[in-house]
Amino acid sequence: MAVSQGPAPAVHESSCERAASPDCYCMCDGMMHQRDVLIAAFESRGTPADFDRELTRLFGSPFTTLSMDPVPPDRDRRDNWEPMASASTAKKRSQVEQRVVDVALRDLLRIVHAMPPHSKPGWSSLLNALTIQASWGSIVTQIAAIAGPHDEVSGYFWGSMLAAASGAQTLGSSVSPADIGSFPGSVSTVFDQARHPRANAGNTVKMIKEMTYPNAVSVAAKPVASAWSTTTVTAREKGTVLAIVGSAVSPDLWHHPAAVRYLLLPAVSGIRALVPSASFSLDSAIQTAEDAIRTELAEKWRDRGVW
């Protein structure tokens, strides 16, 4: 199916690009989600202090422990934190899991913003290409014609597609649309579900329906593969850029096992390789941020057969 390269619609829901909450209803299939903060990080816009305030607005404070109750002016991203001393067991687990992904993504963007602009040549252009800045509206229209109207989890589609591309690029230097389309079926991780780490069934597991239509996946895979093959970003860096972009466009990493495995974890390890001095808020003497992701999220998804 040919992918039209027509202009994007003049109007996109700006709250999606600003993405101040993790329950965004993305009419763009996730392509434009959190675009503002990605551009600001990649181009090092604003002062570090101003950018840090924006990160706090979007993701909450840079907590250094998993269970510390927020004390003003610190705030939790989701604004529904219950004191750990009185919260139910399930609520405690949810809060810890959410904090892991929220703080890790916040740290990633902080570290990228602090990198000198001259050390990130081509990053913004690759961001634009991976999120189909020039023609996202046309792509969305084609996908909807195949998969039907958007629903509450359609915003996870683009994150799943970038996760598939990230996984595919680990298998070889070239990434074709077919490579991206076939990767989800070659691994145990689910790419077509939005589910928190302890979800079993019912309304806690939601299908990303666009991922269940091979033709919709094919439409999306073509521009992503083109972005990968035509970028001027170095081979050493572009996998990390892809992983950072994909981590940010997912509406909520807490519900997105494919994005955590193939985007968030590679983004954290990739940025550590590019910036050896980088540190993450949840790094400690006994575990790294990656350890926290694996313990609090990956192992639980693995227990449910979706990792």
Side-chain angles (χ1 to χ4, degrees):
M1 179 179 293
V3 177
S4 169
Q5 295 298 315
V11 177
H12 175 257
E13 179 54 58
S14 61
S15 63
C16 180
E17 295 174 46
R18 295 194 304 270
S21 68
D23 57 354
C24 180
Y25 192 107
C26 300
M27 297 299 290
C28 59
D29 287 333
M31 277 178 259
M32 303 290 283
H33 187 73
Q34 293 189 151
R35 174 175 170 75
D36 284 8
V37 72
L38 278 167
I39 284 289
F42 280 22
E43 298 183 355
S44 298
R45 293 183 180 178
T47 67
D50 286 343
F51 189 68
D52 194 69
R53 280 190 287 271
E54 178 66 0
L55 291 177
T56 298
R57 183 185 75 84
L58 292 172
F59 304 110
S61 300
F63 295 99
T64 57
T65 70
L66 296 179
S67 57
M68 178 190 300
D69 290 335
V71 177
D74 288 341
R75 59 173 292 268
D76 180 71
R77 177 188 188 187
R78 296 158 197 266
D79 291 326
N80 61 355
W81 184 277
E82 294 181 9
M84 294 297 271
S86 57
S88 68
T89 298
K91 180 64 173 176
K92 289 177 183 177
R93 290 172 178 167
S94 294
Q95 291 180 163
V96 168
E97 294 157 2
Q98 291 164 354
R99 178 166 290 180
V100 169
V101 293
D102 293 344
V103 173
L105 181 54
R106 185 194 196 284
D107 284 343
L108 271 174
L109 295 169
R110 170 185 55 80
I111 294 165
V112 171
H113 183 271
M115 295 171 65
H118 66 77
S119 70
K120 300 176 281 189
W123 284 33
S124 291
S125 295
L126 181 53
L127 162 63
N128 288 337
L130 288 170
T131 55
I132 327 300
Q133 171 66 9
S135 58
W136 67 268
S138 174
I139 303 299
V140 165
T141 298
Q142 292 180 62
I143 292 167
I146 298 166
H150 293 85
D151 61 25
E152 61 183 314
V153 292
S154 291
Y156 288 87
F157 177 57
W158 211 252
S160 282
M161 289 302 306
L162 295 185
S166 180
Q169 64 90 20
T170 65
L171 304 179
S173 57
S174 63
V175 177
S176 70
D179 294 331
I180 296 171
S182 64
F183 185 78
S186 70
V187 293
S188 57
T189 305
V190 294
F191 283 72
D192 60 0
Q193 293 180 14
R195 51 186 298 156
H196 69 72
R198 288 161 289 106
N200 288 310
N203 62 8
T204 59
V205 177
K206 299 183 184 299
M207 295 301 297
I208 307 168
K209 64 184 177 65
E210 291 81 0
M211 288 298 298
T212 68
Y213 288 84
N215 286 345
V217 170
S218 178
V219 166
K222 290 174 184 176
V224 173
S226 176
W228 179 266
S229 65
T230 60
T231 183
T232 60
V233 175
T234 66
R236 178 172 180 258
E237 296 177 359
K238 66 180 181 178
T240 300
V241 174
L242 166 62
I244 294 168
V245 172
S247 296
V249 303
S250 173
D252 189 355
L253 291 165
W254 182 53
H255 282 107
H256 208 171
V260 171
R261 181 168 187 175
Y262 291 104
L263 296 170
L264 182 62
L265 279 170
V268 173
S269 61
I271 209 68
R272 286 195 197 273
L274 294 176
V275 187
S277 62
S279 63
F280 285 74
S281 300
L282 293 175
D283 288 343
S284 70
I286 59 173
Q287 72 171 6
T288 63
E290 296 96 310
D291 293 332
I293 293 168
R294 294 187 183 100
T295 299
E296 299 298 339
L297 291 101
E299 290 182 7
K300 297 171 185 177
W301 274 318
R302 183 178 290 111
D303 287 344
R304 284 153 181 79
V306 298
W307 182 266

